[in-house]
């Protein structure tokens, strides 16, 4: 990684720590990717749910993943665990053989559509970087977290790990080299996420997608991405709402999500700016102008899903401004 080529640096929101610290605890937030029209290129972090992680230095020169609290079925082999792979990518780039013990309290269910693997990867590299004296900026850490995310999704993408690491909205302009555009969220922008307690694997969800896009649909989608970016930069909530339309991915994937059409209709009637699938699902998100409207939207979501036999969780949250937090 060429540190000299970096032209962006986010302010580190961590507390000052002694460089000789042997242990650090972090909160790694969940994230919403795609954000309607921005398939694979756009995401934002949420404060309402996230993983907690503790990293400790060890003298064994190896990465050890403790059984994951909450989801013991997740791999503890560091070569198969997203946190282990992300940390190893950082160490390889740094030329270090420092060992770490990793504890993860997994509050984001795998396959939830709200960035479970991204949270673990982002939290791991931020914590390791902290214990190593912060040799990398937050922006540089995205590259390492992305390599961990690849273990879970089977592909390299940063639309979850970038916002989880940096906070706010992140637009992934390109990958060779990685080019992330960070956007501060409008101050009154709130997010409501409903997570039906079913699992949809990203790999399986991608298999539903057509490899071809009609030109007219593509043009409408490009217009919405541009409009959404403009709305975010100018805090134009009405423009944000007009632009939160997905003409390509949502129509193909919504069949996987129970009650999706009724849910979307209900939250739009409740005052949502827009509503769409979070990541590959099954979670669904809605954006709102202000906490009061967000609470009304949460109530509408609850009303729809109370009529089903599914368990579900609802999160009401502002968009995370800082990404992974040192606790």
């Amino acid at each position: 990684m060429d540190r000299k080529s970096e032209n962006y640096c986010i302010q580190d929101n961590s507390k000052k720590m002694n460089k000789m610290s042997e242990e650090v605890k972090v909160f790694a937030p969940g994230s919403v990717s795609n954000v309607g029209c921005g398939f694979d290129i756009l995401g934002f972090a949420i404060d309402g749910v996230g993983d907690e992680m503790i990293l400790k230095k060890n003298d064994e020169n190896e990465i050890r993943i403790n059984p994951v609290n909450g989801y013991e079925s997740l791999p503890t082999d560091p070569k198969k665990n997203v946190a282990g792979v992300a940390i190893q990518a950082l160490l390889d780039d740094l030329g270090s053989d420092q060992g770490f013990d990793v504890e993860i309290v997994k509050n984001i269910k795998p396959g939830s559509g709200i960035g479970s693997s991204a949270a673990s990867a982002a939290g791991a590299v931020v914590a390791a970087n902290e214990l190593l004296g912060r040799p990398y900026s937050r922006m540089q850490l995205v590259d390492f977290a992305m390599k961990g995310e690849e273990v879970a999704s089977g592909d390299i993408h940063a639309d979850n790990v970038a916002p989880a690491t940096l906070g706010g909205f992140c637009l992934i302009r390109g990958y060779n080299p990685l080019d992330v555009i960070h956007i501060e969220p409008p101050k009154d922008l709130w997010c409501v996420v409903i997570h039906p307690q079913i699992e949809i694997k990203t790999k399986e969800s991608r298999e539903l997608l057509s490899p071809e896009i009609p030109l007219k649909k593509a043009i409408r989608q490009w217009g919405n991405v541009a409009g959404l970016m403009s709305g975010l930069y100018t805090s134009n909530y009405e423009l944000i709402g007009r632009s939160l339309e997905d003409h390509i991915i949502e129509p193909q994937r919504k069949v996987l999500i129970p009650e999706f059409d009724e849910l979307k209709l209900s939250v739009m009637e409740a005052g949502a700016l827009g509503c769409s699938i979070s990541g590959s699902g099954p979670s669904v998100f809605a954006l709102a102008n202000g906490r009061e409207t967000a609470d009304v939207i949460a109530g509408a979501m609850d009303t729809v899903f109370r009529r089903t036999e599914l368990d579900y969780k609802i999160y009401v949250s502002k968009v995370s401004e800082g990404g992974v937090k040192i606790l």
Side-chain angles (χ1 to χ4, degrees):
M1 180 180 294
D2 183 1
R3 301 185 200 174
K4 293 182 180 179
S5 67
E6 186 183 35
N7 57 17
Y8 173 91
C9 180
I10 189 169
Q11 182 178 352
D12 197 331
N13 66 351
S14 58
K15 299 175 183 177
K16 291 182 179 180
M17 295 181 60
N18 188 317
K19 289 186 179 181
M20 298 305 292
S21 295
E22 300 296 312
E23 175 181 325
V24 66
K25 182 177 183 180
V26 300
F27 171 82
S31 53
V32 170
S33 63
N34 299 343
V35 197
C37 55
F39 179 67
D40 271 7
I41 63 168
L42 185 63
F44 64 87
I46 53 175
D47 279 330
V49 61
D51 294 343
E52 292 186 1
M53 306 177 68
I54 298 175
L55 257 67
K56 302 176 182 177
K57 288 182 178 179
N58 68 49
D59 296 325
E60 306 302 320
N61 303 123
E62 62 181 5
I63 300 169
R64 298 187 296 227
I65 310 292
N66 293 337
V68 179
N69 188 343
Y71 296 95
E72 287 77 9
S73 62
L74 292 177
T76 56
D77 181 345
K79 295 181 180 179
K80 298 179 180 180
N81 183 284
V82 296
V85 172
I87 293 171
Q88 190 61 60
L90 183 155
L91 293 174
D92 289 346
D93 189 78
L94 192 62
S96 170
D97 61 357
Q98 175 63 55
F100 293 100
D101 291 318
V102 182
E103 298 178 22
I104 306 173
V105 178
K106 199 82 186 125
N107 295 317
I108 309 175
K109 184 177 181 180
S112 62
I114 47 177
S116 177
S117 57
S120 294
V125 295
V126 170
N129 190 60
E130 192 75 16
L131 291 176
L132 293 169
R134 301 185 197 169
Y136 299 104
S137 72
R138 283 293 182 103
M139 182 60 75
Q140 290 171 316
L141 293 179
V142 173
D143 218 348
F144 307 129
M146 191 168 60
K147 291 179 174 62
E149 170 83 325
E150 183 182 12
V151 175
S153 67
D155 191 18
I156 290 182
H157 58 94
D159 50 337
N160 282 110
V161 294
T165 305
L166 304 172
F169 283 80
C170 289
L171 174 69
I172 316 302
R173 195 208 60 79
Y175 286 93
N176 293 305
L178 180 64
D179 189 356
V180 178
I181 300 168
H182 180 261
I183 306 162
E184 294 291 341
K187 66 177 182 178
D188 291 322
L189 190 63
W190 284 72
C191 177
V192 187
V193 176
I194 184 165
H195 174 204
Q197 299 294 288
I198 59 176
E199 181 177 353
I200 296 177
K201 294 184 180 297
T202 301
K203 293 179 183 178
E204 296 173 357
S205 182
R206 283 182 177 271
E207 291 174 357
L208 291 176
L209 303 180
S210 170
E212 297 181 353
I213 303 171
L215 182 58
K216 288 184 178 180
K217 285 187 178 181
I219 292 170
R220 293 176 70 187
Q221 198 87 335
W222 296 332
N224 282 330
V225 172
L228 182 54
M229 292 301 96
S230 179
L232 292 172
Y233 272 115
T234 60
S235 296
N236 185 331
Y237 294 93
E238 196 273 335
L239 178 56
I240 291 171
R242 293 206 316 270
S243 304
L244 279 171
E245 294 183 347
D246 179 6
H247 301 289
I248 297 172
I249 305 302
E250 181 184 300
Q252 298 181 71
R253 281 181 167 173
K254 69 178 184 178
V255 296
L256 299 173
I257 301 171
E259 307 297 332
F260 178 82
D261 287 331
E262 183 178 356
L263 181 71
K264 183 168 183 175
L265 177 62
S266 295
V267 301
M268 294 305 294
E269 291 177 346
L273 296 172
C275 171
S276 192
I277 302 168
S278 178
S280 58
S283 291
V284 175
F285 81 95
L287 292 181
N289 184 354
R291 174 63 188 261
E292 183 176 347
T293 302
D295 286 337
V296 174
I297 292 167
M301 288 180 169
D302 184 58
T303 297
V304 171
F305 265 79
R306 270 205 310 260
R307 297 195 289 265
T308 73
E309 297 181 355
L310 291 172
D311 291 330
Y312 58 93
K313 294 181 180 180
I314 297 175
Y315 306 102
V316 178
S317 172
K318 291 202 75 173
V319 176
S320 173
E321 295 182 356
V324 176
K325 296 178 176 63
I326 306 297
L327 300 178

